[in-house]
Amino acid sequence: MTRYEEFDSLRGLAALIVLIGHYLMVYPSYADYQYGSSSSYMIYLFKETPLRLFFSSGNESVILFFVLSGFVLYLSVNSAKFHYSTYLIKRVFRIYIPYLVAIGMAILAKMLLSQIDLPYITDWFNKSWTGPDNPSLLIEHLLFIGQYNTDAYNNVIWSLVHEMRISIIFPVLIFLFIRKKLKDSLLWLFVLIFSSTLFLYLFGSNVDITSILLSFHYSTLFLMGAIIAKYRHGLFSYTLKMKKPVKIAWLLGAIICFMYEGIIGEVDFLNNYIFRDYVVSFGVCIFIIMSVCSQKISAVLRSRLLTLLGKISYSLYLYHLISLFSLMYLFYNKLPTGLILIFSFFLSFLLSSASYLLVEKPCMRLGSYFTRNKQEKVISKDHIALKRKIG
């Protein structure tokens, strides 16, 4: 299976953007910002200008995670060596086991540090590490069961709930909706988009962030990535032949789509999360194609620094809030907030690097170890079938 290092770097950049956005949420002027309101000019720059791309695109970055997952998982499912149990075991070891370690650390840190008195910071900050611990909440976090308070210990895990759910049924989605002809695949995608949008408008007024309805919605983003993966050779070949001005125009269009929320601002009818997600995902699809088909972009994304960032991106996503909340509880009344954020930034990378080396890599090796026998049996059967055909 072809590995696109550019995609790892895109994930790394997305995780970094999520981190930056979350760290800024400790400032009330940023956390409480409303479009059309009179806020500080600096916050306006972060929210409604091109700087938004780096300082306020956390949700957009999660959309990128989902579309990229669809691309990568399609390549895995479409492999000649695909076996569902092998696929699922590797997915569990890749996503779920590192999550368990991280959520365990978050729970431990919360129990040890949340006893320290801390004044009100922002609504966003005070939603986490403030509620009571109880067995049902712990079990829900352990098993990804139902609709529960994902803000309790580490609020990024809501996306992992959807990631795991969709991963489990993704091979079935590929079989049902990704067809031989592109027009048929696109037709099914539009049907699913229309259906999920209709359900959310009818039944999603009080939808929880881990709702099955939202998993349905996000599954369409996975399928976008899958369609790009299925027709990647044609798409990449066509894009490579584009003239430079055309590529630049498409890239600018992708950036505009990615910044859609800040551009639309206070127009509520157009700036709802359903419509916004699809506009952003269209921009993400262009980013994915351009990351491979633009030599300059590809070279930047393959640089050593961004490649390293890509390797630790999952751990960075898991641990940056643990670092932030821990240091805020320890030093809020003792150090300036900006200095705490700087220390937390470096601690996040330290924790992420340790997690990648001590948790993620061993988990990936274990996943390969436990599926080795199945893979060897598949290879053996293919070898026997080939010998019979030759014979």
Side-chain angles (χ1 to χ4, degrees), residues 295-363:
Q295 290 184 350
K296 290 185 177 179
I297 295 175
S298 178
V300 170
L301 292 175
R302 285 176 172 268
S303 65
R304 182 173 177 80
L305 182 61
L306 290 184
T307 301
L308 290 173
L309 181 62
K311 286 181 179 179
I312 65 168
S313 59
Y314 182 44
S315 288
L316 187 63
Y317 188 69
L318 287 173
Y319 284 91
H320 72 275
L321 285 183
I322 300 174
S323 172
L324 173 65
F325 278 81
S326 297
L327 294 191
M328 286 294 286
Y329 270 95
L330 285 171
F331 300 114
Y332 183 72
N333 291 318
K334 301 171 184 175
L335 295 173
T337 300
L339 193 57
I340 295 173
L341 295 182
I342 292 172
F343 288 154
S344 181
F345 181 86
F346 287 107
L347 179 59
S348 294
F349 278 86
L350 182 63
L351 290 173
S352 302
S353 300
S355 172
Y356 174 72
L357 293 172
L358 302 177
V359 180
E360 284 192 67
K361 288 185 75 173
C363 280

Side-chain angles (χ1 to χ4, degrees), residues 234-243 247 289-290 293:
L235 285 169
F236 291 167
S237 176
Y238 179 80
T239 307
L240 282 167
K241 294 176 184 177
M242 286 182 179
K243 294 182 178 180
K247 288 184 180 180
I289 295 170
M290 287 298 175
C293 297

Side-chain angles (χ1 to χ4, degrees), residues 15-51:
L16 182 59
I17 289 170
V18 171
L19 178 152
I20 292 170
H22 279 158
Y23 282 20
L24 290 174
M25 288 291 283
V26 303
Y27 294 104
S29 58
Y30 182 92
D32 301 331
Y33 183 84
Q34 292 185 342
Y35 296 106
S37 63
S38 55
S39 298
S40 70
Y41 186 65
M42 180 61 71
I43 304 302
Y44 165 77
L45 290 176
F46 287 173
K47 289 286 188 177
E48 299 191 56
T49 74
L51 288 176

Side-chain angles (χ1 to χ4, degrees), residues 169-229:
I169 64 168
F170 193 68
V172 177
L173 297 179
I174 293 296
F175 177 76
L176 292 176
F177 303 118
I178 304 299
R179 318 308 298 172
K180 289 184 178 180
K181 294 183 179 179
L182 176 59
K183 64 177 182 179
D184 294 330
S185 297
L186 292 175
L187 177 62
W188 274 113
L189 177 63
F190 289 132
V191 168
L192 292 173
I193 288 174
F194 176 79
S195 301
S196 70
T197 302
L198 182 63
F199 283 135
L200 284 170
Y201 271 115
L202 291 177
F203 308 111
S205 57
N206 295 310
V207 69
D208 188 89
I209 199 167
T210 57
S211 166
I212 294 293
L213 282 178
L214 280 180
S215 291
F216 181 20
H217 167 64
Y218 292 129
S219 69
T220 62
L221 308 185
F222 273 67
L223 288 173
M224 287 184 187
I227 289 173
I228 295 175

Side-chain angles (χ1 to χ4, degrees), residues 229-296:
K230 180 175 177 60
Y231 301 101
R232 64 192 181 281
H233 297 302
L235 285 169
F236 291 167
S237 176
Y238 179 80
T239 307
L240 282 167
K241 294 176 184 177
M242 286 182 179
K243 294 182 178 180
K244 187 176 180 179
V246 178
K247 288 184 180 180
I248 293 173
W250 274 104
L251 188 60
L252 289 175
I255 292 171
I256 291 171
C257 288
F258 206 74
M259 297 192 303
Y260 176 80
E261 180 183 340
I263 293 171
I264 295 300
E266 57 186 317
V267 184
D268 292 337
F269 175 72
L270 295 175
N271 203 356
N272 63 81
Y273 74 91
I274 302 172
F275 189 65
R276 184 172 67 232
D277 284 357
Y278 288 122
V279 175
V280 171
S281 62
F282 180 73
V284 166
C285 290
I286 299 173
F287 281 146
I288 290 173
I289 295 170
M290 287 298 175
S291 70
V292 176
C293 297
S294 169
Q295 290 184 350
K296 290 185 177 179

